[in-house]
Amino acid sequence: MVDEKDMVGAVMVVGGGIAGMQAALDLSAGGFLVYLVEESPSIGGNMLRLDKTFPTGDCATCTISPKLVACMRDLNIELLTMAQVTALDGVAGNFKAKVRIAPRSVDASKCTGCGDCTEHCPVRNVVRDVPGYEPREVGGDERVKVDEILARHRDDPGGIMPILQDVSKSFGFLPRSVLEQVAAGREMPLAEVMRVASFYEEFRLHPEARHIVEVCDGTSCYSRHSKKLLKQLEEHLGIKAGETDEEGRFALRTIRCLGLCALSPVMRVDGVSFGRMTRDQVPQILERFE
Amino acid sequence: MSECIRNSDDLAKAASAGAARLYPAQLKIIVGAGSCGLSVGAGEIEKAAVEAVKELGVEATVIRTGCIGFCGREPLLDLVLPGGPRVSYGNMTVEKTRELLATYAENKGLKPELILGRFEKEEYILTGEVHEYGPAPDELKDVAEWSDLDFYRRQKKVIMRNCGSIDPLSIDESIARGTYQAVQKALGSMSADDVLAEVESSGLSGRGGASFPTGRKWRFAREAEGDIKYLVCNADEGAPGSYMDRSVLEGDPHAIIEGMILGSFAIGAAEGFIYVRSEYPLAISTLDKALADAEERGLLGDDIMGSGWSFRLSVRRGSGAYVCGEETALIESIEGHSGEPRGRPPFPVVAGLWQKPTVVNNVKTWASVAPIITRGSDWYKSMGTETSHGTTIFSLEGTVKNPGLVEVPYGISLGDMINEMGGGTLDDKPIKAIQAGGPSKGCISPDKMDMLIEASAAPGKLAMVGTGSIIVLDEETCVVDMTRFLLGFFNDESCGKCTPCREGTKQMLGLLTDICEGRGTDHTLAQLKRLSSAMKAASVCGLGSMAPDPVLTGLECFPQEFAEHVHDRKCSAGICEMGEV
């Protein structure tokens, strides 16, 4: 303990959760200047995440909100958010602390909470990796083909949907290198292109088999035993639904309702539909696709 | 052939060209080549017919038509006899086609035993005219008249007015049956207010399932602020079991185009989009052709029919996401984003496509507009019931004798539809359950057969419309497994934006799987109900709030079947494989 005359009139509270906030408010009321240090971008801590608190069942937000506002407004409390204590010297009554504050990249005094920064968040635009989805070499011809597609839809108000549909049509799937070219051509982040590409069932990120066999999984087909048809196909092709056989000849999938409900059960090979399927027809039909 | 149509004379000229194609002097062979027909061999039959005609030296034209609705009898082949009636053959094969044409060529008859029915006359819904076919030869006197068939007697084809009667790729044939007369009438002699008032007073309501009054929606959009407004046709018919929109798109694309031109005039929109799901390639190519034809004839684009009114229309393809049938998700998708629904309000009529006022209507709704303009709202109101006007399309599927599409005025009962039009069940097996109105409606028990097809029910009565699919299920179906199947659909198709739907469907699917595999308890059932109410209250769009409905309906209509699975660990249909007790 130092002499009373050497004591500083300021206190540092490390951690801006409910306990730290209450401590800061009490200290401020007692006449101390408080540095409230919090590692995350905002004070509040875990209690902000709670709906109710045990055992009284009080609304957590209702408890904490006035304290958040009080901490912010209190002239005796200085908030140091995105901050970490890196060193501490001295003895009780006269400490020296070193605090490292990370850049916020936003001028907090000017922030109105409009939310525009969330829209343009650079983290949101980090590409999420799909296993095995690597860029591959693209030939000059292919680049030209993609440039043509891009040019065709340059003024299309429909954004990248028509572009991806055309790419999918001419490549059979959406190669990552092509998506990178599309992103560059449209001057938008690759992550945004990927978000659309991965949302729709029809877009494939990997090369496909030569022939796609699809079994309709609509309600009507289900009621007319499409499960048995799928099982027969699985046995016949030696693969499960969602897989491709080893020689890359057939890929087997289910598809939600082809709209041929009066002719259930239905299957489709390379876009050609076959209705009223029976057991004997399966091998005959598959034979036609080499 | 490709002259611009600028007035009623031009329209009449195109109509007579179309009529010459519709009723040629020589034999006309019509192959039902919608997706339904093609999937069971209509393509080969058409080829056989063309070859046979050539070999036999018969003077005949062979054309394709869209879906006539009698899907259970596909492939269908019709003959329009020179100076005689039109007769319809069902369950055709390549051999039967060759045989039929050979006997015809030798004047040895028409094989009446293969005929489903004959047409004496056909009404043109748009104009009210009736085309009378020539007298039937003696050997056909005993063949049933088409409108006397059980399947057709109670039907009134307004939306599907031209489906199965015209070559969908021929704009002239469509014009010959009255198409584009409504456009000519509206742009030539009516004000936008008149058109809107006519649609409002007709009581037309949305045919997509929610039955929102179309006129009111149009008025909202018309009165919304802004110079730029859009129209959208929702042809993303993703609900399993429904395919009526596809039939209209494939069979009579001009009906939709005409409806949208009328809508654009009434609302003040200069541009429109038809959003078609990618699973319907034939519908997309048919629409593309129809749009190109309409533009070439000056019926679409700038200065339509010389009236000064301009409207551009284009096709947008979906890419396989059911949620895009939800209007705000559909709008997101047209804008080129992933199809995640938006929060509401603001509603699309205020801020839709590119934040401009947008009217989104279903295929059937757009196709219903033109007859209201040509025949008047009173005529339209004369069909249906007090509260629900007009007609709507249902698909009969599952174990019925006559699966297919039926268009009926509102007010018919579910039982009549299944037993009379559908002809009852195959082998007259008892009906265990009916999956009516799309996946969100679940399975109802057969004691609800007196349920009426109506947008809103009279007190004490049940009513349903939904997406219009009616799937009849027999004793071989397990309702619990069916419910799991339906929930699996929602689980797959949830877009993942909001938590109640994304996590709720997953958890409910897990609980139902527990029941199906013999691990269910009373607690499981209670949890299902609790999750249902949370999802209904908190989901962003209709997909999440309707997903629990099949479970709730199943629990309500088949409590004993759920109890059997949970308490006795037994599945009497033999579908669920129960583990050890």
Side-chain angles (χ1 to χ4, degrees), chain B residues 365-379:
Chain B
T365 318
W366 287 119
S368 299
V369 177
I372 293 172
I373 301 301
T374 55
R375 305 279 299 264
S377 53
D378 289 334
W379 167 81

Side-chain angles (χ1 to χ4, degrees), chain B residues 119 165 189 382:
Chain B
F119 290 87
S165 293
S189 60
S382 70

Side-chain angles (χ1 to χ4, degrees), chain A residues 83-138:
Chain A
Q84 268 181 306
V85 179
T86 53
L88 194 62
D89 278 333
V91 289
N94 193 350
F95 283 113
K96 266 199 169 64
K98 233 182 190 169
V99 177
R100 185 192 182 91
I101 299 180
R104 187 181 279 273
S105 309
V106 167
D107 187 342
S109 63
K110 286 184 184 153
C111 174
T112 60
C114 69
D116 277 358
C117 51
T118 330
E119 280 287 299
H120 299 284
C121 171
V123 174
R124 200 174 142 94
N125 287 331
V126 169
V127 181
R128 283 209 214 151
D129 273 326
V130 178
Y133 193 51
E134 302 292 335
R136 61 177 180 98
E137 282 298 309
V138 185

Side-chain angles (χ1 to χ4, degrees), chain A residues 124 153 155-162 164-166 168-169 186 188 192 195-203 214 216-228 231 254-264 266-268 271-277 281 288, chain B residues 35-40 71-75 91 238-243 246 273 275 277-281 316-321 323-324 333-340 354 396-399 403-404 426 435 471 473 476 481-482 484-486 488-489 492-493 495 575:
Chain A
R124 200 174 142 94
H153 297 290
D155 301 319
D156 199 316
I160 56 169
M161 275 287 279
L164 296 186
Q165 283 168 345
D166 281 3
S168 176
K169 203 171 162 193
R186 296 290 295 198
M188 63 198 286
E192 215 164 296
R195 202 147 56 228
V196 177
S198 58
F199 182 83
Y200 292 94
E201 191 73 13
E202 200 190 48
F203 296 141
E214 290 158 308
C216 178
D217 198 15
T219 322
S220 180
C221 286
Y222 168 86
S223 78
R224 302 302 294 267
H225 310 295
S226 60
K227 258 187 192 170
K228 284 185 192 161
K231 208 167 164 203
T254 57
I255 185 167
R256 286 294 186 186
C257 202
L258 292 167
L260 300 169
C261 313
L263 303 164
S264 315
V266 181
M267 70 178 232
R268 186 165 86 160
V272 182
S273 304
F274 300 92
R276 290 195 202 115
M277 286 296 300
Q281 282 175 313
R288 289 191 233 163
Chain B
S35 291
C36 286
L38 289 173
S39 78
V40 285
C71 316
R73 299 282 186 275
E74 292 279 7
N91 296 101
S242 329
Y243 61 103
R246 194 207 74 217
F273 299 95
Y275 186 90
R277 68 194 289 240
S278 61
E279 287 85 344
Y280 290 170
R316 294 281 144 169
R317 279 184 51 209
S319 276
V323 72
C324 290
S333 185
I334 293 182
E335 290 182 8
H337 309 134
S338 50
E340 290 173 17
W354 297 292
L396 292 171
E397 303 154 28
T399 56
L426 290 172
Q435 212 280 299
I471 304 166
L473 306 166
E476 284 175 40
D481 187 58
M482 188 68 176
R484 173 168 72 150
F485 168 81
L486 296 172
F489 171 74
D492 283 354
E493 296 296 344
C495 76
I575 300 284

